[in-house]
Amino acid sequence: MAGIVSYGGYIPRLRLQRMAIFQSMGWFAPAIMAVAQGERSMCNWDEDSLTMAVAAARDCLTGMDKSKVDALYGCSTTFPFADRQNSGIIATALNLNENLLTADFTASQKVSTTGFVAALDAIRGGEKRSALVVAADKRETKSAYFHEMWFGDGAASLLLGTENVIAECLGSYSLSRDFVDHYRGSLNKYDYNWEERWVRDEGYSKIIPEVVNGVLKKCNVSIGDLSKFVFPCFFKREHQVIAKGLGVKPTQLVDNMHEVCGETGAAHALVMFISALEEANPGDKILVASFGQGSDALLFEVTENIKKLPARVGIKGSLANRKEVDTYPKFLKFRDLMQTEMGIRGEAPTQTALTTLYRNRKFILGFVGGECRKCGTRQIPSKDVCVNPDCGSVKSQEPAEFADTPAIIKTFTADMLSVSVDPPNMYGMVQFDGGGRILADFSDCEMSDLKVGRRMKMEFRKRVYDKERGFHGYFWKAIPQAEA
Amino acid sequence: MATGIKDKVAIIGMGCTRFGERWDVGSEELMVEAFQECIQDAGIEKKDIQAAWLGTCMDEVNVGKSALPLSLSLRLDKIACTRVENFCASGTESLRGAVYAVASGAYDICLAMGAEKLKDTGYGGLPAGGSSSGTLNWLWLPAITAPGSFAQLASAYAAKYKISDDDLKLALAHVSAKSHANGALNPKAHLRKPVSVEQILAAPIIAHPLGLFDCCGVSDGAACAIVTTPKIAKDLGKKDFVTIKALQLALSSGEELGFNSWDGDHFVTTSKASLKAYEEAGVKDPRKEISMMEVHDCFSITEFVTMEDLHISPRGGALKDVMDGFYNLDGGVPCQVDGGLKCFGHPIGASGLRMVYEMYLQLHGRADKRQLKDPKIGLTHNLGGFPFMNVCSIAIVGKYGV
């Protein structure tokens, strides 16, 4: 049986209150009040589609044997690199076995389901044993329009395989149709959107029923057999109307998450699907359809194994971990949509030596250190000579992962002098349980979190953006653990 | 068997510029200014100098690389000149180079120069290196600043000794207030205004918990020394001259940063270098024998914990000594007699030599309003880098034969 073995989700902790957008920009665009309910998720300044993808994939791999993953498909329309495989960065960050197939699926909002179908084919065909699909999006919009309100940031991940399947894929139905509700030129920052009424009536209202009926017919399942129906559509009313037209009851329709998160782009079909899986029972049939120049519809049946899936954060856990942002300019600043004075200090050179990055990729991207064979001391970064002053053995270290090792704060500060998008710049030394320590940036953190002994966990985050060269640099940062 | 440096090399002349925001001059002119004072003090001619060392740190925004800026500025005529750089120990490194060269017998008379021009960056604080601070560092080290790196000592110290944040902050304010009081007495100091403890506590935060007055001045300046053998010093007619009693250096092995044995509350390098320096100088009980100190008070917390690493205050005892005024001008071991980095200023490459300059003036009774009564042994200390990885240098000086 081929299908989903595990899932993971990530919604950034920051939630921009939509009324904050309206309060700042309502004078200019009063119509946006119509969609100003609730909150939208927003990336911290050091998050993007790549860091969210890593977070969701790590969540997905909880309790799984990641050494078996032999395919990774990254799905997004906003990955940071146009030519440097983003999936390869994700695979390195996850410290996966290098003998794997990686591919980026991009340039359409439907790519997460497309990536899923491709992964399923690889598993069914027997060429791959364990395939990780991860979708993430952080879409930019111009200020003060509906899309800024509708959109959110987020990521979702599914692990596919043939053993311990929690949801079997009964079938899929794909449609590729060049319906251009919006587009973004390859060198443009923002989408160009056509009239919403047309998108609604000619787009969602025709394409979604077509693929839904297609997959149901193919699998010989009727709409009434579904426990849940998942499809993203930021027109809240149309979302319900389309479902109703298909004969889907309100209890079957999975919420589009407008009030709590917003539409997370290419990830959203999977984000919504995971929110359904989190509530699902064995035997449930779930239909998932995406939307973007056509659609892929996927039909699943949940198995008994879902009860055995190790606990994870998921979408539910991510949504519960929230911090409200009611300062709209902070959203603009975090996304570099607003030019502030950063001072001459901020002009320090920012070139990354690719040779250095390559030699140290396991440490920088994968957060892999070492453990000394002679004395057992864990250390990061791993150097040729063991750090233990009573040991000092040369080339005695085996690779050791630190990404999932809990840590505590040893020293800290909150620095107002350091150039930061979100001052004060908080950092300090964290010490890992079982040995090893590192001087680390802190993120998703308040001053009140900073205490010697505070428990922290490590997350893959953006460190620097070299604007001149278009290079995004990543490393691991310490983030407060939720306190028990 | 090594016998140490004690009394093998004499300082026969010193010079030091006024430190501060010297918009009027660059490093080149600052070196000339310090050198003119120094060579007149020594009473020799420029041609008598056989080799020279230059300590500078931030060469990218300053003089550039090599020792050529020294030889070109002073017009030293085809002699050996070497640039040394070891963060904030660069000035003391320059002295070490000159002193060891004389002690080895390779040269008779050498010059040690330290200079730094920090105010050509266009912004406050020390220059930010960005990706020029090492290609691997750039990929992972947090964008730390000097105040941010040293401020962490406070969080760790307070946690280790279970001191309230307010009590520590108050003690740190006393550290800075004392240096301001001393700096006000010094015509060459960068900051010459007494500041109250209340003003210090009320200042804006730079890096938690350090406020503006917990941070030293970022200054331009130069200082230098001419060294020779005691025999030549006598031959030149010098009496009661000052000699080097100890010169020690200790660098981190990476233990602080990578091995879980350090609590982040002090300097393991200083702790070791000071013991070696006392041994080299023959100092048995530093708290009693050291007459005065210039330590690396880049930040109040640095000076505070250094009192323990120098084994003058017992572990956990710095707070009491500071609050008792033990390090004040009229205290048991006056510290930052010339105002310290805090108020004299901190042109990095010059600082180590500036500290020795104050010891030299005090030992010769030439320290004017700050003059201590009959000082015998002076200690200087530099700490370059960060608490978690650093370069510590210590010099002990005193009169020859004392």
Side-chain angles (χ1 to χ4, degrees):
Chain A
M1 186 198 291
I4 297 166
V5 172
S6 173
Y7 61 79
Y10 182 78
I11 305 293
R13 166 176 166 267
L14 299 180
R15 309 294 155 78
L16 177 63
Q17 303 304 297
R18 289 200 179 88
M19 275 309 290
I21 306 177
F22 182 77
Q23 278 158 5
S24 285
M25 297 309 296
W27 61 272
F28 174 80
I32 59 176
M33 183 61 196
V35 292
Q37 308 84 12
E39 58 195 28
R40 59 154 292 172
S41 57
M42 76 178 238
C43 281
N44 204 335
W45 69 269
D46 59 355
E47 295 184 290
D48 62 10
S49 50
L50 197 64
T51 67
M52 291 192 294
V54 170
R58 289 179 73 200
D59 190 41
C60 183
L61 291 170
T62 305
M64 302 293 136
D65 181 359
K66 71 177 181 181
S67 69
K68 291 208 173 81
V69 174
D70 50 6
L72 188 156
Y73 299 158
C75 312
S76 176
T77 68
T78 54
F79 274 146
F81 289 98
D83 190 348
R84 174 190 175 191
Q85 199 180 46
N86 300 283
S87 304
I89 303 172
I90 297 169
T92 315
L94 297 171
N95 197 29
L96 299 180
N97 189 328
E98 282 191 340
N99 288 113
L100 87 168
L101 178 75
T102 48
D104 289 352
F105 285 68
T106 187
S108 174
Q109 295 298 305
K110 71 174 176 184
V111 286
S112 62
T113 53
T114 311
F116 179 88
V117 173
L120 188 69
D121 283 350
I123 298 282
R124 279 192 174 144
E127 185 65 22
K128 300 296 169 196
R129 288 191 305 163
S130 179
L132 188 63
V133 174
V134 56
D137 246 341
K138 177 194 179 189
R139 293 175 294 173
E140 302 301 0
T141 64
K142 288 181 186 166
S143 182
Y145 195 58
F146 292 119
H147 296 83
E148 183 181 49
M149 292 274 195
W150 280 325
F151 290 1
D153 304 325
S157 180
L158 295 172
L159 183 66
L160 283 71
T162 55
E163 289 169 20
N164 301 317
V165 168
I166 61 166
E168 183 189 2
C169 187
L170 303 177
S172 69
Y173 186 93
S174 289
L175 176 76
S176 182
R177 182 174 293 156
D178 192 29
F179 178 82
V180 190
D181 57 314
H182 76 276
Y183 67 88
R184 186 164 72 247
S186 60
L187 295 178
N188 292 68
K189 185 166 188 175
Y190 302 109
D191 294 352
Y192 191 78
N193 297 288
W194 213 249
E195 186 181 359
E196 284 92 24
R197 295 174 63 81
W198 176 70
V199 175
R200 197 182 66 194
D201 297 346
E202 279 298 295
Y204 284 101
S205 297
K206 293 193 172 167
I207 289 172
I208 295 295
E210 191 174 338
V211 294
V212 166
N213 288 326
V215 74
L216 289 174
K217 190 177 172 195
K218 186 176 168 186
C219 298
N220 198 22
V221 170
S222 72
I223 201 99
D225 297 334
L226 299 181
S227 299
K228 294 290 176 192
F229 175 37
V230 173
F231 78 103
C233 176
F234 45 65
F235 305 114
K236 188 91 185 182
R237 189 165 171 280
E238 211 60 20
H239 187 239
Q240 291 156 356
V241 168
I242 291 169
K244 194 178 177 187
L246 282 162
V248 173
K249 294 194 190 81
T251 51
Q252 289 171 282
L253 181 65
V254 172
D255 181 61
N256 74 352
M257 298 168 63
H258 172 73
E259 287 80 2
V260 295
C261 168
E263 191 186 85
T264 59
H268 207 55
L270 298 190
V271 165
M272 288 172 64
F273 177 36
I274 290 168
S275 77
L277 278 175
E278 287 168 339
E279 307 296 326
N281 293 307
D284 283 359
K285 287 191 176 63
I286 303 176
L287 195 158
V288 182
S290 55
F291 181 80
Q293 297 87 52
S295 172
D296 308 301
L298 313 167
L299 186 60
F300 295 96
E301 182 168 334
V302 177
T303 76
E304 285 289 338
N305 290 324
I306 199 156
K307 292 180 175 171
K308 291 183 263 176
L309 188 70
R312 61 208 51 238
V313 177
I315 297 301
K316 197 177 183 177
S318 294
L319 287 175
N321 175 28
R322 57 188 281 280
K323 178 178 161 56
E324 292 182 11
V325 175
D326 51 17
T327 310
Y328 175 61
K330 198 168 200 175
F331 172 80
L332 298 178
K333 179 62 197 166
F334 279 19
R335 301 174 96 88
D336 200 21
L337 302 174
M338 176 188 202
Q339 201 164 12
T340 56
E341 179 57 78
M342 299 304 278
I344 300 176
R345 177 175 290 277
E347 295 173 10
T350 52
Q351 189 199 47
T352 291
L354 299 176
T355 39
T356 310
L357 175 61
Y358 180 68
R359 284 194 303 272
N360 295 281
R361 66 191 184 281
K362 292 268 183 192
F363 164 50
I364 297 298
L365 296 176
F367 209 52
V368 175
E371 182 171 331
C372 181
R373 282 188 297 272
K374 298 279 171 58
C375 71
T377 299
R378 279 168 62 86
Q379 46 208 287
I380 185 164
S382 162
K383 300 283 181 191
D384 275 352
V385 183
C386 177
V387 73
N388 178 354
D390 296 327
C391 177
S393 297
V394 180
K395 300 196 182 205
S396 62
Q397 291 180 59
E398 294 293 336
E401 290 188 350
F402 280 80
D404 294 326
T405 310
I408 56 159
I409 293 180
K410 282 296 283 184
T411 69
F412 67 84
T413 190
D415 187 340
M416 291 300 294
L417 181 62
S418 177
V419 178
S420 171
V421 175
D422 187 21
N425 192 3
M426 290 180 256
Y427 51 84
M429 179 171 282
V430 296
Q431 181 161 303
F432 296 100
D433 294 358
R437 50 169 54 176
I438 196 163
L439 195 73
D441 282 309
F442 299 155
S443 195
D444 284 5
C445 192
E446 322 296 327
M447 274 281 283
S448 56
D449 290 319
L450 300 180
K451 286 187 178 62
V452 173
R454 178 74 157 85
R455 295 209 75 82
M456 306 292 272
K457 60 179 179 177
M458 302 307 291
E459 296 271 9
F460 182 77
R461 290 292 172 96
K462 183 178 290 199
R463 231 182 74 72
V464 67
Y465 176 47
D466 179 351
K467 277 189 187 172
E468 194 183 332
R469 303 170 189 84
F471 188 84
H472 302 262
Y474 300 87
F475 189 57
W476 293 74
K477 299 185 182 181
I479 282 162
Q481 282 257 22
E483 293 204 304
Chain B
M1 183 67 187
T3 52
I5 200 70
K6 185 179 180 181
D7 282 343
K8 290 177 182 169
V9 179
I11 303 175
I12 56 168
M14 289 202 79
C16 182
T17 68
R18 180 172 65 78
F19 282 14
E21 292 174 326
R22 297 290 305 266
W23 309 116
D24 55 328
V25 287
S27 279
E28 296 82 352
E29 294 82 6
L30 287 164
M31 287 191 278
V32 173
E33 190 178 320
F35 182 69
Q36 287 307 110
E37 180 188 347
C38 182
I39 195 140
Q40 281 162 25
D41 182 37
I44 60 167
E45 289 182 61
K46 189 165 78 178
K47 66 176 172 51
D48 298 330
I49 296 170
Q50 296 163 328
W53 276 258
L54 169 64
T56 59
C57 185
M58 303 282 184
D59 59 287
E60 301 88 348
V61 293
N62 181 15
V63 290
K65 296 198 186 304
S66 92
L68 279 167
L70 174 66
S71 62
L72 293 174
S73 297
L74 301 188
R75 307 290 184 203
L76 297 174
D77 192 18
K78 294 179 278 291
I79 63 165
C81 294
T82 304
R83 176 179 168 230
V84 290
E85 187 281 302
N86 220 353
F87 278 155
C88 296
S90 300
T92 303
E93 281 287 27
S94 150
L95 182 65
R96 271 179 92 228
V99 165
Y100 284 3
V102 166
S104 75
Y107 298 108
D108 288 330
I109 298 178
C110 291
L111 170 70
M113 172 69 76
E116 205 84 35
K117 175 77 189 174
L118 292 175
K119 298 307 297 179
D120 277 347
T121 59
Y123 55 93
L126 289 177
S131 55
S132 66
S133 307
T135 57
L136 181 55
N137 291 338
W138 169 245
L139 298 183
W140 72 276
L141 267 184
I144 52 176
T145 62
S149 75
F150 286 90
Q152 294 171 60
L153 289 164
S155 58
Y157 188 95
K160 181 165 182 171
Y161 294 105
K162 299 185 170 50
I163 295 171
S164 78
D165 292 348
D166 289 347
D167 286 348
L168 183 55
K169 178 93 180 158
L170 180 65
L172 297 180
H174 278 265
V175 168
S176 295
K178 169 264 301 159
S179 298
H180 270 276
N182 295 353
L185 302 176
N186 194 334
K188 284 186 173 178
H190 182 172
L191 305 170
R192 300 201 55 208
K193 211 173 99 180
V195 176
S196 72
V197 166
E198 292 70 29
Q199 282 173 295
I200 293 168
L201 290 172
I205 293 292
I206 303 297
H208 179 83
L210 304 180
L212 182 65
F213 289 110
D214 290 298
C215 308
C216 75
V218 173
S219 328
D220 306 324
C224 60
I226 292 172
V227 296
T228 187
T229 62
K231 180 177 181 304
I232 295 170
K234 284 179 201 158
D235 293 348
L236 287 168
K238 304 285 178 188
K239 287 171 194 154
D240 258 6
F241 51 85
V242 172
T243 55
I244 305 289
K245 306 292 182 186
L247 272 179
Q248 288 293 335
L249 202 70
L251 278 76
S252 299
S253 69
E255 188 181 329
E256 304 99 301
L257 194 56
F259 190 63
N260 294 2
S261 60
W262 174 65
D263 285 327
D265 61 303
H266 76 119
F267 299 97
V268 298
T269 49
T270 304
S271 194
K272 184 157 185 182
S274 57
L275 290 179
K276 286 166 74 178
Y278 296 141
E279 190 187 348
E280 187 173 30
V283 171
K284 303 270 185 311
D285 183 350
R287 193 175 169 101
K288 290 209 174 71
E289 294 173 54
I290 300 292
S291 316
M292 55 189 172
M293 301 191 292
E294 291 290 338
V295 307
H296 202 83
D297 58 330
C298 50
F299 302 95
S300 55
I301 186 67
T302 319
E303 177 177 334
F304 181 91
V305 304
T306 297
M307 297 302 102
E308 297 178 14
D309 288 323
L310 291 174
H311 309 281
I312 305 235
S313 291
R315 287 279 170 219
L319 191 134
K320 181 177 185 298
D321 278 342
V322 164
M323 298 307 286
D324 287 350
F326 185 75
Y327 298 109
N328 292 356
L329 213 52
D330 57 357
V333 182
C335 189
Q336 318 309 68
V337 184
D338 68 0
L341 301 176
K342 174 75 199 76
C343 292
F344 201 108
H346 185 25
I348 303 174
S351 282
L353 283 158
R354 172 230 105 209
M355 295 171 167
V356 176
Y357 176 74
E358 178 67 11
M359 302 291 102
Y360 180 85
L361 293 181
Q362 291 281 353
L363 289 166
H364 283 300
R366 284 156 48 185
D368 197 21
K369 288 179 186 165
R370 327 177 288 288
Q371 183 62 50
L372 301 169
K373 189 170 172 291
D374 198 23
K376 293 271 189 309
I377 296 285
L379 178 146
T380 69
H381 156 266
N382 295 110
L383 197 286
F386 317 94
F388 49 84
M389 55 175 180
N390 57 71
V391 179
C392 171
S393 65
I394 289 177
I396 297 177
V397 295
K399 288 281 184 65
Y400 181 61
V402 175

